[in-house]
Amino acid sequence: MSTTDPTPDSHLLGASDIRELAAALGVKPTKQRGQNFVIDGNTVRRIVRAAGVTAEDSVVEVGPGLGSLTLALLEVAAHVTAVEIDPLLARHLPTTIGARMPERAEHFDLVLSDAMDVTELPGPPPTALVANLPYNVAVPVLLHMLAAFPSIERTLVMVQSEVADRLAAKPGNKVYGVPSVKANWYAEVKRSGAIGRNVFWPAPNVDSGLVSLIRREPPKTTATRREVFTVVDAAFAQRRKTLRAALAGWAGSPAAAEEALAAAGIDHKLRGEMLTVEQFAAIAEHKPKASEL
C-alpha cells in the first residue's frame, strides 16, 4: 500500500505503511527519543475509544511520530494539535494528514517543540490529551501538560507498564511514589488496559499500559502546588525513612518536622508511601516559619 495513496477502506497507517514511510524519510527510530511507532490500526482506534474522545473535543497529542494515532484522533475529534520534537517527523506529518485525510487537514495543527517547553497551543483550548509517550520522559511531560493546560479534562496516555503502575498506584502500594501523588493532585488516575509489544515498530523490550486521568479539583489547601510538591519530593527522596526523618531537611530539623506533622494530624512514624495527596497538602500548610527554626 502506498503511503500517499490510501485504499478506500482505510486511511490509517498499517505496518507496511509505517516501514515504507520511515524508509522514504530516512527515519531510523532512536532509543534516545523513545521512538516506537504503533503499526496497528485497531490499537490506535482502541486508544481513541478508551480516551472517550468525541466530536466536541479539541485534542492535544504529544509525540505523534509518523501519525498513526493522529489519524485515528482526526477520525473523531473536532480538532487535533500535535506536539513533535523531531524536525523531520514534524515537517512530514502535515503531508501524511493531507494525503490520507484531506477532508480533515484544516482541523489539524502542528507545533514543533519539546513538549516541556510548550505553554500555549494554536486552535481551541485542548479538552483532552491523548499520547503515546516516550518512556524516558513520560511522567514529567504528563505533569507539565496537566499544569500548563487546565482546560484538559481527560487524558489517556500509553506508557511503559511499570510507569503506568506507578501513576495509578494508591497509598500503601509498594510502587506508590512521587508520580502517583503528583498525578493525583490533578486527576483521578487509573489503569485502562495493557498494550502488547507486537503493535510497535520497532518492538520495545518492555510492556506498555494505558493510564486514564480524569481532571478533578486539586485538594483544598492554603499551600501552593509548588509547596505541596516540595513536601512530596522530600518525603520520597529517602522513602524508607519515617516522615520525621525524611522531612527534617524541609522543616529545618527532625523535631520541627515532627511538630509540623503533629499539626497536620499525621503520625510522624509513618512513611510517605502511606499518605494521600490531601495529607501532603496538610503538611505543607504547617511548614515551620524561619523565625521558629
Side-chain angles (χ1 to χ4, degrees):
M1 182 191 301
S2 168
T3 57
T4 58
D5 185 22
T7 57
D9 62 330
S10 177
H11 40 250
L12 301 184
L13 296 171
S16 60
D17 300 311
I18 290 290
R19 291 187 175 91
E20 180 184 338
L21 185 53
L25 297 177
V27 171
K28 295 182 179 180
T30 67
K31 289 184 178 180
Q32 180 182 3
R33 288 184 174 169
Q35 291 172 327
N36 299 96
F37 302 125
V38 181
I39 57 175
D40 179 64
N42 289 330
T43 297
V44 291
R45 282 189 170 132
R46 173 190 167 194
I47 292 171
V48 174
R49 287 195 303 271
V53 175
T54 73
E56 305 299 317
D57 280 311
S58 174
V59 180
V60 57
E61 179 190 7
V62 176
L66 293 170
S68 301
L69 180 56
T70 314
L71 291 165
L73 288 167
L74 280 168
E75 285 185 328
V76 181
H79 189 273
V80 176
T81 299
V83 179
E84 176 58 60
I85 192 174
D86 187 308
L88 176 60
L89 295 175
R91 188 164 59 249
H92 193 79
L93 186 55
T95 302
T96 300
I97 302 295
R100 303 187 76 90
M101 296 185 72
E103 74 283 3
R104 298 295 295 159
E106 66 180 19
H107 299 275
F108 173 74
D109 281 305
L110 177 71
V111 175
L112 173 60
S113 176
D114 183 332
M116 294 296 292
D117 297 329
V118 173
T119 56
E120 58 183 10
L121 293 167
T127 57
L129 166 64
V130 185
N132 171 21
L133 292 177
Y135 297 155
N136 55 339
V137 296
V139 171
V141 166
L142 172 62
L143 296 177
H144 169 74
M145 295 298 289
L146 290 173
F149 299 100
S151 62
I152 293 175
E153 301 166 356
R154 301 180 316 286
T155 295
L156 190 85
V157 291
M158 180 160 55
V159 295
Q160 182 177 343
S161 186
E162 180 182 335
V163 175
D165 289 340
R166 290 177 179 173
L167 284 167
K170 303 304 180 186
N173 188 297
K174 64 181 180 179
V175 297
Y176 182 77
V178 172
S180 324
V181 183
K182 292 184 178 180
N184 267 278
W185 172 272
Y186 300 103
E188 296 290 343
V189 188
K190 67 177 183 179
R191 282 289 299 257
S192 192
I195 300 292
R197 304 181 189 191
N198 62 332
V199 303
F200 296 96
W201 175 75
N205 296 322
V206 295
D207 294 322
S208 300
L210 298 176
V211 180
S212 168
L213 300 96
I214 305 300
R215 176 83 70 167
R216 66 179 178 89
E217 287 297 315
K220 293 182 179 180
T221 176
T222 58
T224 66
R225 182 181 70 225
R226 183 185 296 273
E227 289 169 340
V228 176
F229 283 10
T230 296
V231 177
V232 175
D233 290 335
F236 287 100
Q238 304 175 79
R239 65 178 297 144
R240 300 315 304 163
K241 289 190 174 183
T242 65
L243 287 168
R244 183 181 191 276
L247 297 181
W250 165 81
S253 71
E258 184 173 338
E259 290 180 13
L261 288 160
I266 295 168
D267 185 347
H268 67 86
K269 296 179 183 178
L270 292 175
R271 296 187 176 92
E273 63 197 39
M274 302 305 296
L275 303 191
T276 64
V277 64
E278 289 80 9
Q279 288 174 306
F280 280 110
I283 296 170
E285 290 180 5
H286 291 92
K287 182 177 182 178
K289 294 180 174 60
S291 60
E292 299 175 0
L293 302 179

